Amino acid sequence: MSPRDSFAEASSGKESSVSRSQPQENGVESALHSMESVHGLEEILQQSVVKTIDQNLVEFSEALRSVAKVLRCVVEGRASAQAEAAEWKRKLEIERARNMHLKLKEMSIEDTPIDNGDKRLRNTSNQAETRNSSNMATERCCGNHGICTHEVLRDRNSESESSAVAKMMCRKASFKLAWGCKGERNGQHKHDVVSFERGNITTAERSSKQISLKWETDPQTVFVLTKPNSTSVRILCSEMVRWLKEHKKLNVFVEPRVRKELLAESSYFDFVQTWEEDEEILLLHTQVDLVITLGGDGTVLWAASMFKGPVPPVVSFSLGSLGFMTPFQSEFYKESLDAILKGPISITLRHRLICHVIRDGAKDELETEEPMLVLNEVTIDRGMSSFLTQLECYCDNSFVTCVQGDGLILSTTSGSTAYSLAAGGSMVHPQVPGILFTPICPHSLSFRPLILPEYVTVRVQVPFNSRGQAWASFDGKDRKQLSAGDALICSMAPWPVPTACQVDSTNDFLHSIHEGLHWNLRKTQSFDGPQDL
């Protein structure tokens, strides 16, 4: 083969190899194009699916929001019904107590010895006069400024009254409550007068609104409560009881425990009275004219808890660690009691809260447990649970908030210096009628305490989606478990606790926070520093 032939053959081979490689390269390119088209299709499909899912989620969230609104409306309606039922129940109890009071007056009038000839006529006229006088008194009290005596200290209806009245019923001392005013020597009482002048609303006169108590008849029976397990209190109690009997000729009631201690000391104290059955405690307010406490604020709380309805005036002697409600010194008890029994004295009406627990399985809103009366506060906390407390709160017909934290405190103004103050609440004058709404360690920096007016009804409910249960305690005792669906309803009780003042209500309150809490106590700034010229 010649060189020319070999070169031609080689060149023809290269051409054939090139011609064979070209279809291979075209196949790879087509494969790449096909893969890119598949990826693009997949991306388009994924984008469409994501858009569809997003649209479904938006529609689902809107549906959930509408369902939540409907549920909120249902719960608010239920809260409104519960508040209205509680208000009607309270009015019914007040009306029953008023009717029972009038019935007892009529019975006492019928028992008065009168000649046989005109007995029936006198009874009928006396009954009519009693009704007319009671109606006129109600109209005067409700129509004028001041405090209605029948609203403040009213006898309560009791089923066991018929059996125990004969044993404990005696004539009680009567008194008046009136608005007082400082600096007035003529005995006239001022009232708030609002005048309308040229479209402007101005207050023409202001009074101190200090309440005074004036005895119309001399007190006859006192009830002495003491702090247990204290030697100094036991010695003072025996000395005071002896002085009340010998010098003041008063009947003395004590607890069964105290009577045993006095009799163990001497048989002289056999005149001291007490009760045997727990049902007789419900009738203490019908016989006791004055309550004397020897101890601290806890003794005052115990005294208030013994009276489920009206409470007689309370005189508190300081023998404890803190004394926000104990203004009197035990060393001068003779001078203090002399002035109190003689009268008139200044008193502080300390409002109480009445609380009802409504279980989820209740048939209606009136099916509640035994109501609880508190002088300081009712606390709803998480107990032993490690989860945050979740509570839905309503004020009358309005949704307030959902509490997420350690709990909630519903406090009176008298209890503003107790647990509510430790949780960040404000100190409030005890005669300010209001309900303190204080959260306990809330999981929100914007959650601040509230002060609600006294006429509202607060409802706290444990929602069904709560992780744990809640516990309610009333003045630090009688804890009750609240499960999902249970509700606690609180409103202002119609029976306050009247406590005697050392000077007046404002002076005693400021003195207690200065002495008990050392409020705003600091060193006085020196005078040798720089001064403004």
Side-chain angles (χ1 to χ4, degrees):
M1 181 181 296
S2 65
R4 186 175 180 178
D5 296 335
S6 61
F7 177 78
E9 185 178 358
S11 61
S12 62
K14 288 181 180 180
E15 292 176 357
S16 63
S17 63
V18 171
S19 62
R20 285 196 305 268
S21 62
Q22 285 181 354
Q24 292 180 358
E25 291 178 358
N26 293 331
V28 172
E29 290 179 357
S30 61
L32 290 175
H33 287 298
S34 62
M35 290 177 64
E36 290 178 356
S37 62
V38 170
H39 285 301
L41 182 60
E42 289 180 354
E43 290 178 357
I44 294 173
L45 292 176
Q46 288 179 357
Q47 291 177 359
S48 61
V49 170
V50 169
K51 290 181 179 179
T52 306
I53 293 175
D54 291 340
Q55 292 177 357
N56 292 334
L57 288 177
V58 170
E59 293 177 356
F60 184 69
S61 63
E62 291 179 354
L64 288 179
R65 191 176 293 108
S66 61
V67 171
K69 290 181 180 179
V70 173
L71 291 177
R72 179 67 55 79
C73 294
V74 172
V75 174
E76 288 181 355
R78 183 180 179 184
S80 175
Q82 287 182 346
E84 186 177 358
E87 181 66 20
W88 279 107
K89 187 176 181 180
R90 186 181 69 85
K91 291 181 180 179
L92 180 61
E93 291 177 355
I94 292 175
E95 187 65 25
R96 287 179 178 176
R98 184 178 301 169
N99 294 335
M100 190 63 187
H101 185 66
L102 294 177
K103 186 176 180 181
L104 289 175
K105 281 187 177 181
E106 293 176 359
M107 291 174 60
S108 63
I109 293 173
E110 290 178 357
D111 293 339
T112 305
I114 305 174
D115 295 338
N116 294 330
D118 58 347
K119 181 177 181 180
R120 182 176 301 175
L121 179 62
R122 291 287 300 277
N123 286 338
T124 305
S125 62
N126 287 335
Q127 292 176 8
E129 291 177 359
T130 302
R131 294 191 187 95
N132 293 331
S133 61
S134 62
N135 293 333
M136 292 174 64
T138 303
E139 292 175 359
R140 287 197 302 268
C141 293
C142 299
N144 298 330
H145 295 276
I147 298 177
C148 303
T149 305
H150 65 277
E151 290 288 344
V152 177
L153 297 176
R154 186 192 303 111
D155 292 339
R156 189 186 182 192
N157 186 14
S158 177
E159 295 180 356
S160 60
E161 201 157 4
S162 58
S163 61
V165 163
K167 183 177 180 181
M168 298 184 61
M169 191 65 183
C170 69
R171 194 171 187 84
K172 279 176 55 65
S174 59
F175 56 86
K176 288 182 179 179
L177 294 180
W179 295 126
C181 50
K182 295 181 179 179
E184 293 293 330
R185 298 180 180 179
N186 53 8
Q188 296 179 356
H189 302 289
K190 291 184 177 180
H191 306 294
D192 282 349
V193 179
V194 180
S195 61
F196 298 85
E197 183 179 358
R198 295 182 180 179
N200 297 324
I201 301 177
T202 59
T203 303
E205 297 179 357
R206 297 285 298 178
S207 87
S208 65
K209 286 294 190 290
Q210 176 59 55
I211 304 170
S212 63
L213 183 148
K214 182 179 180 181
W215 301 102
E216 292 184 339
T217 57
D218 295 333
Q220 298 180 2
T221 306
V222 295
F223 181 27
V224 181
L225 283 97
T226 63
K227 182 177 68 173
N229 304 324
S230 176
T231 305
S232 60
V233 172
R234 190 180 303 114
I235 295 173
L236 179 62
C237 177
S238 60
E239 181 182 347
M240 182 181 292
V241 168
R242 187 188 298 270
W243 180 79
L244 290 172
K245 182 63 177 179
E246 294 178 355
H247 293 81
K248 296 300 178 182
K249 310 300 180 183
L250 295 174
N251 302 321
V252 180
F253 259 86
V254 295
E255 297 178 271
R257 169 187 57 83
V258 178
R259 190 174 190 276
K260 290 181 181 179
E261 294 176 354
L262 293 175
L263 290 177
E265 179 181 345
S266 173
S267 59
Y268 168 80
F269 297 101
D270 189 53
F271 65 89
V272 176
Q273 304 178 46
T274 186
W275 59 85
E276 298 178 358
E277 302 293 336
D278 294 338
E279 290 77 9
E280 299 178 11
I281 301 177
L282 298 176
L283 301 176
L284 279 177
H285 69 279
T286 62
Q287 185 175 8
V288 174
D289 299 319
L290 193 68
V291 178
I292 301 174
T293 63
L294 305 178
D297 290 345
T299 310
V300 180
L301 294 177
W302 173 246
S305 65
M306 297 186 66
F307 295 91
K308 305 303 181 182
V311 184
V314 180
V315 182
S316 306
F317 289 92
S318 177
L319 287 166
S321 56
L322 288 178
F324 295 102
M325 293 185 286
T326 55
F328 294 94
Q329 300 297 322
S330 59
E331 294 84 2
F332 309 103
Y333 74 89
K334 295 181 181 180
E335 294 82 357
S336 300
L337 290 178
D338 275 332
I340 290 170
L341 294 173
K342 183 180 179 180
I345 59 174
S346 298
I347 66 169
T348 300
L349 286 182
R350 299 184 179 273
H351 302 276
R352 292 190 292 178
L353 293 177
I354 182 169
C355 307
H356 299 269
V357 176
I358 301 178
R359 300 295 179 183
D360 179 53
K363 297 179 181 178
D364 51 35
E365 303 299 336
L366 296 178
E367 186 179 344
T368 63
E369 297 183 0
E370 184 69 19
M372 305 293 293
L373 289 169
V374 295
L375 181 57
N376 265 0
E377 75 278 317
V378 53
T379 305
I380 305 100
D381 55 59
R382 59 190 177 96
M384 298 297 293
S385 176
S386 60
F387 299 105
L388 294 178
T389 300
Q390 188 173 357
L391 304 171
E392 292 181 352
C393 304
Y394 300 87
C395 180
D396 287 341
N397 301 330
S398 303
F399 175 75
V400 180
T401 187
C402 183
V403 178
Q404 288 182 318
D406 282 352
L408 177 68
I409 301 172
L410 297 177
S411 171
T412 63
T413 51
S414 295
S416 64
T417 53
Y419 196 1
S420 176
L421 178 63
S426 177
M427 293 185 293
V428 187
H429 193 287
Q431 284 195 178
V432 175
I435 301 175
L436 277 67
F437 187 91
T438 308
I440 306 174
C441 298
H443 197 254
S444 173
L445 294 177
S446 61
F447 199 166
R448 292 294 180 264
L450 296 176
I451 299 179
L452 303 172
E454 81 281 1
Y455 58 83
V456 302
T457 299
V458 181
R459 178 175 175 269
V460 181
Q461 183 171 359
V462 181
F464 289 99
N465 61 347
S466 177
R467 292 186 176 183
Q469 297 175 338
W471 292 82
S473 59
F474 308 89
D475 277 342
K477 58 182 183 299
D478 299 328
R479 287 177 65 84
K480 293 186 178 182
Q481 185 176 359
L482 300 178
S483 302
D486 296 344
L488 178 68
I489 297 179
C490 297
S491 59
M492 194 69 72
W495 308 285
V497 179
T499 58
C501 301
Q502 175 71 30
V503 181
D504 56 51
S505 181
T506 302
N507 185 282
D508 291 356
F509 171 67
L510 295 177
H511 182 269
S512 66
I513 63 175
H514 282 301
E515 295 295 326
L517 297 176
H518 303 290
W519 179 61
N520 197 27
L521 183 63
R522 67 180 296 272
K523 291 184 178 180
T524 305
Q525 192 172 8
S526 62
F527 290 96
D528 55 355
Q531 298 180 358
D532 295 334
L533 298 179

